[in-house]
Amino acid sequence: MTMSGFDTLLPRPVSAETAPGACPWPVPVEVRTADLPAEGYRLHIRPDGVTLEAADAAGECYGRQTLRQLAGPDAFRAASIHNGPVELPCGTITDYPRFAWRGCLYDVARHFRTKAEVLRFVDLLAAHKLNVLHLHLTDDQGWRIETPEFPRLTSVGGWRKSSMVGRHDGPERDGRPHGGYYPVDDLREIVAYAATRAVTVVPEVDLPGHARAAITAYPELGPASETPWEVWTSWGISTSLLDPSESTLDFFRAVFDHVLDIFPSPVIALGGDEVPGVTEAHHRFVRAIADHLVARGRTPMGWDEVLDGGDLPKMVIGVWQDRERASLAAKGGHEAVLCPEDGVYLDHRQSDHPDEPVPVGYRQDLEHFYAFEPESGPHVRGVQAQLWSEHLDTVRRTDYAAFPRLSAFAEVAWSSGPRDYAEFLPRLRDHHLPRLDALGVEYRPLDGPRPWQTRPDAPGRPR
Ligand code: ACM
């Protein structure tokens, strides 16, 4: 971002309502198209009004988001609590993103999020100029897409009878049914809502592992040896895989056709991660689904394990295990989205604080997120933070896990360094946390959890 003129700040009332929407935010601005990099914008704020030049619709959204930031934290409330005009500093800002893909994976399979909660999350992504919602819709623990051709996917696969609390090897479960799914029209609504905020929803149907909910609904999709099936009540990596037969392939071709009808995203995710005991037949199965998506004009996205199968069509690879795999992806002619487990996993614990709720995974505190330095290059489409939800059973827990680490990540995704955490921290504390407060986000306080944010009932498993 380049800013000029802010050394002669002239706070000046601009006649505007303070009630914000995400995009457009209703400051009266004159909008013009301009020759700027994709998603870029230029804001001229002068005593006689605001002009917004934008490369495209996304650039217009981001220009309006920046105006909202300049207007102060109360511009992030759901309704105005002040009378009178908003004051904006005068000057010029030219701004455009570093990466085309600035994503966040949202796992609605392990713990379902209501439609209203998903829409709220879209607003939070847009407020951070993130532009991809990678919606993880199916897993061992639940199937969340209404699929009329195969109704048991939701009537059976859409809920489980119980859940593990925290992370442990014991048989204890909470005894509480958990479930939910999105009717097709709700999914269409989420896609449309996101589009008006410059957010693309990339759906994921995970296979050939992470598919126990589907196998429970239709046991013929799984190995004959393993019965009876139930939607999984555990966390971890299940060894049960889809049977990579021609009839399973036909089933999932039909499922993906349904998904393509709902989601216009150019990229469609097919999973491919964590498949213990994977065989050549499973690799062929993944390749056949990838080919099917390509034949339908979309680009398949898979987790970096799919590279082990070789001979794939051009894909987007989610590089999560080992950063070297970005080069491997490039060698295969693919593009990489960098989302390393040791860098940007929002489910991992945020500190060694004894009260840190459900302390799983590696310690990835705020400074660690801010220090994430992704490689650039033509093979890197972008970056993505990952919000897996095994241990995030409510949206309050999600807020705690995501923020403010996702705010730090958003800055890395949008702008090139150099970065100085000592400079970032007061900016976050004094300017951005008040915005999150105004939005009603229950983020993790910088000095550790509030008593009601702790989870003494839920054991963790730190690494
Ligand atoms: C992953 O974390 N299994 C992609």
Side-chain angles (χ1 to χ4, degrees):
M1 180 192 292
T2 61
M3 294 167 98
S4 57
F6 280 87
D7 49 338
T8 54
L9 291 183
L10 295 171
R12 153 104 193 168
V14 173
S15 163
E17 299 295 317
T18 49
C23 174
W25 185 63
V27 170
V29 289
E30 186 192 328
V31 183
R32 300 191 202 128
T33 50
D35 191 16
L36 286 160
E39 303 181 78
Y41 66 92
R42 184 172 295 120
L43 265 175
H44 303 278
I45 309 173
R46 300 196 187 93
D48 58 348
V50 177
T51 308
L52 170 57
E53 296 176 82
D56 46 32
E60 184 181 338
C61 275
Y62 298 136
R64 290 179 187 276
Q65 291 289 1
T66 294
L67 272 179
R68 187 157 78 130
Q69 285 169 253
L70 292 171
D74 283 342
F76 287 78
R77 293 186 182 276
S80 173
I81 57 168
H82 301 293
N83 294 320
V86 183
E87 294 205 342
L88 295 170
C90 289
T92 297
I93 296 174
T94 304
D95 197 13
Y96 51 86
R98 171 187 188 189
F99 288 112
W101 181 300
R102 302 178 304 283
C104 185
L105 177 138
Y106 200 50
D107 174 7
V108 294
R110 270 54 173 272
H111 281 105
F112 180 70
R113 299 282 174 249
T114 65
K115 177 181 71 177
E117 289 168 345
V118 176
L119 298 179
R120 173 180 179 270
F121 196 68
V122 168
D123 281 340
L124 295 175
L125 295 184
H128 288 84
K129 301 189 176 95
L130 296 170
N131 68 348
V132 174
L133 174 66
H134 178 156
L135 210 48
H136 183 76
L137 285 157
T138 72
D139 213 301
D140 296 311
Q141 296 85 359
W143 182 280
R144 308 291 174 219
I145 313 165
E146 183 191 29
T147 313
E149 193 176 347
F150 306 115
R152 286 173 61 84
L153 285 174
T154 45
S155 65
V156 173
W159 66 283
R160 59 180 180 267
K161 65 178 196 225
S162 210
S163 305
M164 183 185 284
V165 177
R167 194 63 199 267
H168 58 81
D169 295 322
E172 304 84 14
R173 299 291 181 271
D174 65 0
R176 186 175 171 190
H178 178 88
Y181 67 90
Y182 305 103
V184 168
D185 282 352
D186 284 6
L187 291 170
R188 293 192 198 284
E189 181 185 348
I190 289 167
V191 167
Y193 185 88
T196 59
R197 286 149 177 79
V199 173
T200 300
V201 183
V202 173
E204 181 180 358
V205 172
D206 203 345
L207 48 81
H210 291 284
R212 279 177 80 128
I215 299 172
T216 305
Y218 294 97
E220 61 272 26
L221 300 174
S225 52
E226 289 183 47
T227 51
W229 291 95
E230 67 169 15
V231 179
W232 216 23
T233 63
S234 301
W235 315 128
I237 301 175
S238 167
T239 52
S240 307
L241 308 180
L242 292 173
D243 172 27
S245 65
E246 200 51 39
S247 59
T248 308
L249 202 45
D250 283 343
F251 182 98
F252 277 94
R253 285 188 183 117
V255 165
F256 272 101
D257 283 346
H258 174 60
V259 167
L260 299 186
D261 184 56
I262 300 169
F263 294 92
S265 166
V267 176
I268 304 287
L270 53 69
D273 57 327
E274 298 178 320
V275 271
V278 66
T279 62
E280 177 48 33
H282 287 107
H283 284 310
R284 275 200 304 275
F285 183 87
V286 169
R287 280 203 294 271
I289 294 293
D291 287 341
H292 184 74
L293 294 173
V294 171
R296 298 280 191 274
R298 311 293 181 97
T299 302
M301 176 180 189
W303 300 114
D304 58 45
E305 287 94 329
V306 300
L307 295 170
D308 301 333
D311 189 27
L312 292 160
K314 183 175 167 352
M315 291 182 67
V316 172
I317 303 296
V319 176
W320 74 280
Q321 296 187 101
D322 169 356
R323 296 183 197 203
E324 300 305 312
R325 291 198 151 226
S327 324
L328 195 61
K331 282 200 193 96
H334 309 294
E335 279 185 288
V337 168
L338 307 177
C339 46
E341 187 182 19
D342 63 3
V344 289
Y345 267 47
L346 292 161
D347 56 328
H348 287 222
R349 66 203 165 91
Q350 307 204 41
S351 77
D352 294 322
H353 197 291
D355 284 340
E356 200 61 55
V358 203
V360 294
Y362 305 114
R363 175 184 163 150
Q364 296 188 22
D365 58 18
L366 180 64
E367 184 167 5
H368 181 88
F369 263 71
Y370 197 63
F372 172 52
E373 206 33 73
E375 67 187 83
S376 296
H379 63 295
V380 178
R381 192 183 278 210
V383 290
Q384 180 167 292
Q386 312 265 70
L387 194 48
W388 299 108
S389 71
E390 289 94 327
H391 308 296
L392 309 176
D393 55 351
T394 65
V395 77
R396 299 181 79 176
R397 289 276 301 124
T398 304
D399 274 8
Y400 180 93
F403 296 101
R405 291 186 295 180
L406 193 61
S407 311
F409 169 82
E411 192 166 307
V412 173
W414 183 274
S415 62
S416 305
R419 259 172 266 285
D420 176 3
Y421 185 68
E423 180 275 331
F424 170 74
L425 200 54
R427 199 154 44 80
L428 177 83
R429 189 187 52 226
D430 300 340
H431 298 284
H432 196 63
L433 295 185
R435 295 182 193 124
L436 296 181
D437 285 326
L439 283 163
V441 175
E442 292 188 272
Y443 56 84
R444 180 188 187 277
L446 296 176
D447 57 356
R450 304 270 184 262
W452 61 88
Q453 292 174 318
T454 65
R455 286 296 304 269
D457 61 315
R461 183 178 286 164
R463 277 191 262 168

